[in-house]
C-alpha cells in the first residue's frame, strides 16, 4: 500500500535565511533543473514541512512530455471502461480541454472555496428553477435570484485550481503560501510520505509531498497511513515500565526510480500508553499485532497502520509533578484540587518537543491484523547500484529531511 499523509491545519510561510530558501531554482550541469517550494503546515501543536518539487529540462522544455492517466469512461452499452496511459506534450499541459481528460487522482489541486458552498449553490439553482428555494437558504448563500446564484457558482468554480504537472503546481503554491488572504484559512492537505535514498550519503530522506489542498472546517490533525513490513524482533518494550512507550521497528516499501525497484526504508513507530489506563491497555493490546503466531512460518509480516505524526511540544495532563511544593502540599491536605488549579491556570500545559510517529489504529484492509509475506532478510539490504559513480552524483537531497 502507498504511504500517505492527511493533515488539517493552517499554512505558514517559511522564513528565508542565508542557508534556507523556501522557494528555490537549481540548475545542474546536465541541463536539467529543479524548482521547489517548501512551507510550514501548522496542525495545532504540530508543525510539518510540506513541499513540492519539479525536475525539468531547462534547455529543451518543449521536448518534454507529461506521462499521466486518462479518466475512465462509460461505453454505449453502459459498461465502465478504465482509463489508460496518456502522453501529453509539455506545451499543452495548461489547456483546459487537456486537463479535463486527466484522471482526478493524477491531478494536483488547490481549492480555497468555503466547504460545501459550491455544492449548495448547485442545488440552489435547481431550487430556483422549481420554485422551492426558501428565504433562509437565499440569505445563507447570499443570493436572491437565479442570476446571482449562477454568477456566485461561476466565481466559486474559479477558486478550484487543477494542474497536471508539478512545474505549474510549484509556481501556484509559491503565490498561495505568501498570500495574506489565506492566513486565517484552515486546509486539509493530502499527499505522499515520500522516501528517497542517497547512496553517496548512505542516508534515507523523508518528505511530505503535498498533492492536494482543500479549504475545510475540520479540527486539526496530523495523520499518516503506512504499510509496515516487520520481522520477528520488531518489538522493543524494554523501557515500557518507565516511559509507557513501546517501539516497533519495521520497514516502509517505496519505489526508487534510480534502482528501478521497490526498496525498504527502516522506520520506528511508537505505541504510547501514556495518559490513562485506557491508553496503556490499548498500547499493550496493539503490541500483540506484532507478535508472530506459532503457526506462522514466514520471516516477515505486513500491516496497514494509521499513525499520528507528532512534531512539536504536546499538551500534557496536569499532575502533581508539575505543581510547586506549596501547591502539591495543598492538594495532599485537601485544601484544593488538581481541577481547581487547572481552572486557576486557565491555559494548557506543554511538555517537551515530541517527534514520535504514534500508531493510532489499523488501516482499511487490515481489520484482521497483520498478513504473512514471502520476504526474507536479503530483501532489506541497502539500495545499491554497483556500477554507479557516486562521486559525480548530483546532490538533490536536503539535510533537514534526513530520517
Amino acid at each position: 500500500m502507498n504511504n500517505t499523509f492527511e493533515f488539517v491545519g493552517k499554512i505558514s510561510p517559511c522564513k528565508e535565511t542565508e542557508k534556507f530558501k523556501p522557494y528555490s531554482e537549481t540548475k545542474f550541469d546536465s541541463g536539467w533543473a529543479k524548482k521547489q517550494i517548501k512551507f510550514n503546515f501548522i496542525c495545532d501543536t504540530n508543525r510539518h514541512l510540506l513541499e513540492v518539487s519539479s525536475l525539468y529540462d531547462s534547455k529543451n522544455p518543449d521536448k518534454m512530455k507529461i506521462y499521466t492517466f486518462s479518466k475512465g469512461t462509460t461505453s454505449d452499452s453502459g459498461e465502465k471502461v478504465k482509463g489508460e496511459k496518456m502522453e501529453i506534450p509539455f506545451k499543452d499541459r495548461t489547456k483546459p480541454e487537456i486537463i479535463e481528460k486527466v484522471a482526478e487522482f493524477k491531478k494536483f489541486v488547490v481549492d480555497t472555496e468555503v466547504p460545501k458552498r459550491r455544492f449548495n449553490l448547485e442545488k440552489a439553482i435547481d431550487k430556483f428553477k422549481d420554485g422551492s428555494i426558501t428565504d433562509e437558504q437565499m440569505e445563507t448563500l447570499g443570493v436572491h435570484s437565479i442570476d446571482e446564484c449562477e454568477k456566485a457558482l461561476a466565481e466559486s468554480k474559479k477558486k478550484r485550481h487543477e494542474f497536471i504537472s508539478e512545474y505549474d503546481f510549484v509556481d501556484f503554491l509559491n503565490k498561495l503560501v505568501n498570500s495574506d488572504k489565506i492566513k486565517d484559512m484552515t486546509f486539509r492537505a493530502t499527499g505522499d510520505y515520500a522516501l528517497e535514498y542517497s547512496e553517496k550519503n548512505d542516508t534515507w530522506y523523508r518528505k511530505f509531498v503535498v498533492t492536494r489542498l482543500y479549504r475545510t472546517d475540520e479540527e486539526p490533525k496530523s495523520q499518516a497511513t503506512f504499510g509496515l513490513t516487520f520481522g520477528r524482533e520488531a518489538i522493543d518494550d524494554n523501557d515500557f515500565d518507565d516511559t509507557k512507550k513501546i517501539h516497533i521497528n519495521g520497514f516502509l516499501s517505496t519505489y526508487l526510480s534510480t534502482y528501478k525497484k521497490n526498496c525498504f526504508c527502516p522506520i520506528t513507530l511508537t505505541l504510547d500508553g501514556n495518559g490513562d489506563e485506557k491508553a496503556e491497555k490499548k498500547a499493550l493490546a496493539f503490541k500483540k499485532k506484532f507478535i508472530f503466531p506459532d503457526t506462522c512460518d514466514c520471516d516477515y509480516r505486513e500491516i496497514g497502520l494509521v499513525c499520528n505524526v507528532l512534531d512539536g511540544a504536546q499538551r500534557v495532563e496536569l499532575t502533581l509533578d508539575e505543581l510547586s511544593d506549596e501547591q502539591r502540599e495543598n492538594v495532599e491536605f485537601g485544601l484544593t484540587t488538581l481541577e481547581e488549579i487547572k481552572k486557576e491556570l486557565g491555559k494548557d500545559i506543554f511538555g517537551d518537543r515530541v517527534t514520535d510517529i504514534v500508531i493510532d489504529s489499523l488501516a482499511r484492509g487490515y481489520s484482521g491484523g497483520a498478513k504473512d509475506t514471502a520476504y526474507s532478510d536479503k530483501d532489506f539490504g541497502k539500495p545499491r547500484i554497483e556500477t554507479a559513480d557516486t562521486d559525480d552524483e548530483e546532490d538533490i537531497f536536503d539535510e533537514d529531511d534526513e530520517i
Side-chain angles (χ1 to χ4, degrees):
M1 63 184 297
N2 294 332
N3 302 309
T4 61
F5 71 87
E6 182 177 357
F7 298 157
V8 175
K10 297 182 183 296
I11 291 172
S12 175
C14 293
K15 184 178 180 180
E16 183 171 331
T17 66
E18 185 177 341
K19 294 184 177 180
F20 179 80
K21 307 297 180 185
Y23 176 82
S24 62
E25 293 189 60
T26 307
K27 291 188 177 181
F28 304 110
D29 294 338
S30 62
W32 283 81
K34 175 184 178 182
K35 61 180 178 179
Q36 184 177 53
I37 176 70
K38 296 184 177 183
F39 57 94
N40 290 315
F41 203 74
I42 314 300
C43 309
D44 193 20
T45 59
N46 299 298
R47 178 189 296 264
H48 306 293
L49 188 66
L50 272 53
E51 63 181 84
V52 182
S53 63
S54 174
L55 285 171
Y56 61 97
D57 188 341
S58 62
K59 293 182 178 179
N60 302 292
D62 288 342
K63 293 184 178 180
M64 293 173 56
K65 290 185 177 181
I66 296 171
Y67 298 92
T68 186
F69 213 75
S70 68
K71 289 181 178 179
T73 58
T74 302
S75 68
D76 294 337
S77 61
E79 295 182 1
K80 291 186 177 180
V81 180
K82 292 183 178 180
E84 55 188 20
K85 293 180 180 179
M86 293 178 67
E87 292 184 14
I88 299 172
F90 190 70
K91 61 183 177 62
D92 294 336
R93 69 191 186 282
T94 59
K95 293 180 178 179
E97 65 271 22
I98 296 295
I99 295 175
E100 177 61 27
K101 294 179 182 178
V102 175
E104 291 301 315
F105 75 93
K106 295 295 290 184
K107 294 178 181 178
F108 306 95
V109 179
V110 176
D111 196 334
T112 60
E113 180 57 285
V114 173
K116 300 180 181 179
R117 175 171 169 77
R118 188 175 302 124
F119 173 81
N120 290 334
L121 286 169
E122 291 173 341
K123 293 298 180 184
I125 289 175
D126 294 334
K127 291 181 179 180
F128 271 114
K129 289 179 179 179
D130 65 22
S132 63
I133 192 80
T134 65
D135 290 341
E136 182 181 358
Q137 290 169 333
M138 287 189 285
E139 288 298 324
T140 299
L141 293 171
V143 295
H144 299 87
S145 68
I146 189 169
D147 288 341
E148 287 184 6
C149 195
E150 289 176 340
K151 182 179 179 180
L153 179 59
E155 291 298 318
S156 175
K157 289 181 177 180
K158 291 180 182 178
K159 295 181 180 180
R160 181 182 173 91
H161 307 270
E162 297 183 346
F163 311 92
I164 62 172
S165 169
E166 292 96 332
Y167 185 90
D168 306 293
F169 191 42
V170 168
D171 291 339
F172 184 84
L173 287 178
N174 190 35
K175 295 177 182 178
L176 180 80
V177 167
N178 294 290
S179 171
D180 288 337
K181 294 179 180 179
I182 65 146
K183 64 181 181 179
D184 294 323
M185 294 182 184
T186 298
F187 287 91
R188 181 172 74 254
T190 61
D192 300 318
Y193 183 90
L195 297 163
E196 297 175 344
Y197 180 74
S198 169
E199 191 168 330
K200 180 180 179 179
N201 301 333
D202 188 22
T203 303
W204 281 94
Y205 298 86
R206 81 169 186 183
K207 300 175 185 291
F208 294 109
V209 180
V210 63
T211 56
R212 290 175 176 251
L213 283 165
Y214 293 102
R215 191 172 175 184
T216 184
D217 52 11
E218 300 172 74
E219 292 298 315
K221 72 174 179 180
S222 302
Q223 288 193 329
T225 301
F226 298 136
L228 184 76
T229 303
F230 61 95
R232 292 179 177 271
E233 305 299 323
I235 301 171
D236 177 4
D237 58 359
N238 293 329
D239 57 356
F240 182 73
D241 290 340
D242 296 326
T243 66
K244 298 301 179 185
K245 291 184 178 181
I246 301 169
H247 300 294
I248 305 297
N249 299 303
F251 301 87
L252 299 182
S253 175
T254 186
Y255 180 80
L256 298 181
S257 58
T258 304
Y259 305 91
K260 294 182 174 60
K261 66 176 183 178
N262 281 326
C263 301
F264 286 92
C265 171
I267 190 171
T268 298
L269 307 180
T270 300
L271 290 167
D272 194 344
N274 285 286
D276 54 26
E277 184 179 352
K278 183 178 179 181
E280 182 173 346
K281 286 183 177 180
K282 178 181 177 179
L284 292 172
F286 224 127
K287 169 186 169 182
K288 297 177 183 178
K289 304 298 180 185
F290 304 97
I291 297 174
F292 281 58
D294 294 336
T295 56
C296 177
D297 58 1
C298 68
D299 294 324
Y300 290 88
R301 307 190 84 203
E302 62 183 13
I303 192 169
L305 301 168
V306 178
C307 302
N308 294 318
V309 185
L310 308 183
D311 194 344
Q314 306 299 307
R315 290 185 182 84
V316 295
E317 187 68 21
L318 182 65
T319 66
L320 291 174
D321 294 334
E322 276 78 43
L323 303 182
S324 66
D325 291 340
E326 186 170 350
Q327 286 174 321
R328 191 180 304 113
E329 186 176 274
N330 289 338
V331 171
E332 290 174 350
F333 285 108
L335 304 180
T336 187
T337 65
L338 270 176
E339 290 302 319
E340 286 299 322
I341 295 177
K342 289 179 187 177
K343 294 177 182 178
E344 182 181 305
L345 292 173
K347 60 181 179 180
D348 293 322
I349 300 173
F350 295 89
D352 297 331
R353 182 188 177 197
V354 178
T355 57
D356 291 344
I357 301 179
V358 180
I359 298 170
D360 180 68
S361 59
L362 294 170
R364 182 179 299 176
Y366 289 87
S367 59
K371 302 175 184 179
D372 295 352
T373 76
Y375 295 126
S376 62
D377 291 344
K378 64 181 178 61
D379 295 307
F380 298 91
K382 294 179 180 179
R384 284 289 181 265
I385 298 179
E386 299 300 335
T387 59
D389 184 359
T390 55
D391 291 335
D392 296 330
E393 181 183 349
E394 290 179 327
D395 190 2
I396 62 171
F397 299 97
D398 304 304
E399 292 184 0
D400 53 311
D401 297 323
E402 182 178 341
I403 292 181

